[in-house]
Amino acid sequence: MNVPAALKRISDTIWELPVSYKEGMLVPARIVASEKLVKEMDAGVFEQVSNVATLPGIQRYAYCMPDGHWGYGFPIGGVAAMDPRSGVISPGGIGFDINCGMRLVLTSLTAEQVQPKLHQLVDRLFARIPTGVGCHGFIKMKGDDFRSVVQQGSRWCLKNGFANQQDLEMTEEGGCFPGADATHISDKAVERGYNQLGTLGSGNHYCEIQVVQPQNIMDPELAGSFGLTTVPNQVVIMFHCGSRGFGHQVATDYLKLFLSVMERKYGIKIVDRELACAPFHSPEGQAYFSAMKCAVNMAFANRQVILHRIREVFSDVFHASPDDLGLRMVYDVAHNTAKLEKHLVNGSSKELLVHRKGSTRAFGPGLPGLPECYQKTGQPVIIGGSMETGSYLLAGMATGADAWYTTAHGSGRTMSRHEAKKKFRGDKLQREMEQRGIYVRTDSFGGLAEEAGAAYKNIDEVVEATELAGLSKRVARLVPIGNIKG
């Protein structure tokens, strides 16, 4: 057990390290978790979340969500809101895979209709959606075309026939963070990204065919509002990917820049160089914010093109149009971003720069920025579990204000990738999963071993903790039957 003696229990799901825990902390650090989950967290979580609490301009608390584990700079699951007038922006609080996010898509098909064609569907998805390290997409473009993509996001997809208007409406920020300026991205970043549109990549990225079993619907009214109760054993598609090598290069470029100016030019001293930062309103801070938005928009476009391919595959296999098959989006949510948002601080509305690293925006009912159809329900929240266990659809709650309307983003690793590869064999895991009714195609058996269910926390425990903490309410549990992975 790695829990520091200074950690105080505030409630059943809130744990706090006081400002006295570490020199330089400006606010307390809070962890959202059950007692079991907090005891299982690695020591890096407590070290990193308390480091975050030392950053200039941080407001209220540094947070870590229940899926938290050690990351780069911030823990995975880390959340921090900065006063943009006095605070900083830090790539370590956003991540290398900028806007690594989730998309959930409905169908009107049932498990009984899909099962006879499951192998055909998964095989065709695997053929149409490139997976693995360094994979290239089917859209051929040049650097200047790609610069247009990263400034427009999903709007570029709409103009070029890869999206419909409803897709954009069901995507966070309409699929485009405004203010993305391609003059702030390097040629190397463009070189790494221009041929990767419509690709999953590797690691924990996947595209999964899932079933909504009637007994796994926790809130029938919300499920109906999200489109989940039209048929019993309804089939849905969930996928997870981000900005690929492009986002990684953006983060790398600006970490290097921030390290060169942070102390020399701005007099900022930090406890961990992985938290390299710059004043938000400095030229360097604004340039990174713009470049980060470019990576966010690339990821939105990437997921949109993947959805286009999914629609093609299902149409081909079932000989019907996407509309006839009910292939429409529930929502697309981003992880790994920083956004200017208005929140209540001491009773007054205040604009804050909210860093979410491996965590999900979870706006409650009535908040601006939600589609009209979700104003009464709150934002759909998509939390992926492991490929062996299942995932969840949840809804943002009105009680999430303290944590800046943020919740978990996945189940969270308990085992390093290296350790998982030593413990599991990918080919054996693939056979075992098929025996349990989950057909998987992968670009790498080593990569499959890294994603074994036992390498992750219990997704049921994670989402229960988010609900008990008032961050996101469980709507339905989604069970995997088919999966493609890098």
Side-chain angles (χ1 to χ4, degrees):
M1 189 169 70
N2 302 304
V3 178
L7 190 70
K8 297 178 182 178
R9 183 178 200 145
I10 305 299
S11 71
D12 286 346
T13 52
I14 302 292
W15 308 77
E16 183 175 295
L17 290 170
V19 291
S20 58
Y21 174 68
K22 180 179 291 181
E23 185 178 353
M25 286 177 67
L26 302 173
V27 296
R30 285 195 163 184
I31 295 170
V32 180
S34 64
E35 183 173 5
K36 180 176 183 290
L37 286 171
V38 85
K39 285 180 176 177
E40 292 171 352
M41 284 184 174
D42 55 271
V45 168
F46 306 106
E47 178 69 13
Q48 290 186 317
V49 75
S50 56
N51 287 344
V52 172
T54 69
L55 289 174
I58 190 167
Q59 302 289 294
R60 198 181 287 154
Y61 304 106
Y63 273 103
C64 185
M65 295 294 121
D67 54 336
H69 55 100
W70 178 85
Y72 183 96
F74 279 45
I76 308 297
V79 185
M82 312 300 185
D83 183 336
R85 297 167 301 179
S86 60
V88 296
I89 186 167
S90 174
I94 295 156
F96 284 91
D97 192 3
I98 298 166
N99 187 8
C100 173
M102 305 288 298
R103 185 170 292 206
L104 182 63
V105 182
L106 300 168
T107 80
S108 56
L109 297 164
T110 65
E112 291 72 23
Q113 291 172 303
V114 166
Q115 280 291 354
K117 299 177 183 289
L118 181 63
H119 280 229
Q120 188 181 5
L121 282 167
V122 172
D123 289 346
R124 289 202 185 183
L125 288 170
F126 189 66
R128 294 275 186 97
I129 304 170
T131 61
V133 177
C135 59
H136 295 170
F138 72 97
I139 300 175
K140 306 303 178 187
M141 63 173 62
K142 296 179 180 178
D144 285 345
D145 301 321
F146 183 71
R147 288 180 173 89
S148 295
V149 172
V150 303
Q151 291 184 152
Q152 299 174 42
S154 296
R155 296 174 190 170
W156 181 91
C157 297
L158 182 64
K159 292 175 186 175
N160 288 274
F162 299 112
N164 60 52
Q165 187 60 44
Q166 188 186 50
D167 293 339
L168 273 63
E169 292 168 3
M170 295 300 110
T171 303
E172 186 174 334
E173 298 297 326
C176 179
F177 275 26
D181 183 347
T183 63
H184 293 128
I185 59 177
S186 67
D187 290 342
K188 188 172 183 180
V190 172
E191 182 66 26
R192 291 188 66 182
Y194 80 96
N195 57 8
Q196 293 195 322
L197 209 59
T199 64
L200 272 182
S202 59
N204 62 352
H205 297 162
Y206 62 86
C207 176
E208 194 164 81
I209 300 172
Q210 303 168 334
V211 178
V212 188
Q213 297 170 344
Q215 69 270 24
N216 287 334
I217 295 175
M218 285 83 170
D219 190 314
E221 186 176 351
L222 279 174
S225 297
F226 292 163
L228 282 192
T229 56
T230 55
V231 288
N233 293 322
Q234 181 182 6
V235 167
V236 297
I237 303 126
M238 178 183 290
F239 56 100
H240 174 220
C241 62
S243 50
R244 308 284 281 108
F246 175 64
H248 196 285
Q249 191 61 47
V250 167
T252 300
D253 290 342
Y254 281 92
L255 280 166
K256 184 178 179 181
L257 173 64
F258 286 4
L259 283 168
S260 72
V261 300
M262 180 176 55
E263 189 169 354
R264 175 180 56 83
K265 186 174 178 180
Y266 297 110
I268 298 172
K269 295 183 179 181
I270 53 174
V271 295
D272 178 2
R273 62 184 279 114
E274 292 183 359
L275 291 174
C277 56
F280 178 65
H281 281 302
S282 68
E284 296 86 356
Q286 287 296 292
Y288 170 64
F289 194 43
S290 171
M292 181 215 73
K293 289 176 177 180
C294 289
V296 166
N297 292 343
M298 186 276 183
F300 281 140
N302 188 29
R303 291 197 289 277
Q304 186 59 50
V305 172
I306 288 173
L307 174 57
H308 175 76
R309 296 299 254 182
I310 290 168
R311 285 173 168 149
E312 287 181 339
V313 167
F314 272 75
S315 291
D316 289 348
V317 170
F318 286 98
H319 307 293
S321 72
D323 287 344
D324 289 341
L325 296 172
L327 280 159
R328 62 183 179 87
M329 282 175 55
V330 177
Y331 206 58
D332 180 301
V333 292
H335 316 143
N336 295 5
T337 65
K339 294 174 70 177
L340 286 170
E341 298 173 354
K342 288 191 174 178
H343 292 272
L344 285 177
V345 179
N346 299 324
S348 300
S349 179
K350 186 175 182 179
E351 187 175 60
L352 299 173
L353 180 70
V354 184
H355 293 69
R356 295 185 176 100
K357 160 81 168 285
S359 54
T360 303
R361 191 190 76 172
F363 278 5
L367 289 180
L370 291 180
E372 183 61 35
C373 61
Y374 296 143
Q375 282 292 320
K376 292 182 179 178
T377 62
Q379 177 200 309
V381 173
I382 305 159
I383 298 184
S386 80
M387 61 186 179
E388 293 191 68
T389 55
S391 301
Y392 275 86
L393 176 63
L394 305 92
M397 300 172 70
T399 47
D402 264 4
W404 318 118
Y405 293 106
T406 306
T407 192
H409 86 307
S411 49
R413 295 194 73 90
T414 59
M415 192 182 296
S416 72
R417 296 187 179 280
H418 178 71
E419 189 180 350
K421 284 175 77 171
K422 285 176 63 178
K423 191 166 185 177
F424 305 105
R425 276 183 50 190
D427 56 344
K428 183 171 182 281
L429 183 61
Q430 185 186 48
R431 290 193 300 271
E432 291 172 348
M433 287 178 65
E434 185 159 11
Q435 288 169 2
R436 299 199 303 271
I438 307 169
Y439 178 54
V440 182
R441 290 292 305 274
T442 181
D443 183 67
S444 160
F445 283 131
L448 194 69
E450 291 175 2
E451 296 300 308
Y456 284 86
K457 300 181 188 186
N458 184 318
I459 184 64
D460 301 321
E461 293 176 0
V462 169
V463 297
E464 182 182 28
T466 71
E467 183 167 336
L468 291 173
L471 303 181
S472 49
K473 180 177 176 58
R474 290 169 291 181
V475 175
R477 192 178 195 276
L478 313 172
V479 178
I481 57 171
N483 186 300
I484 68 169
K485 293 193 70 66

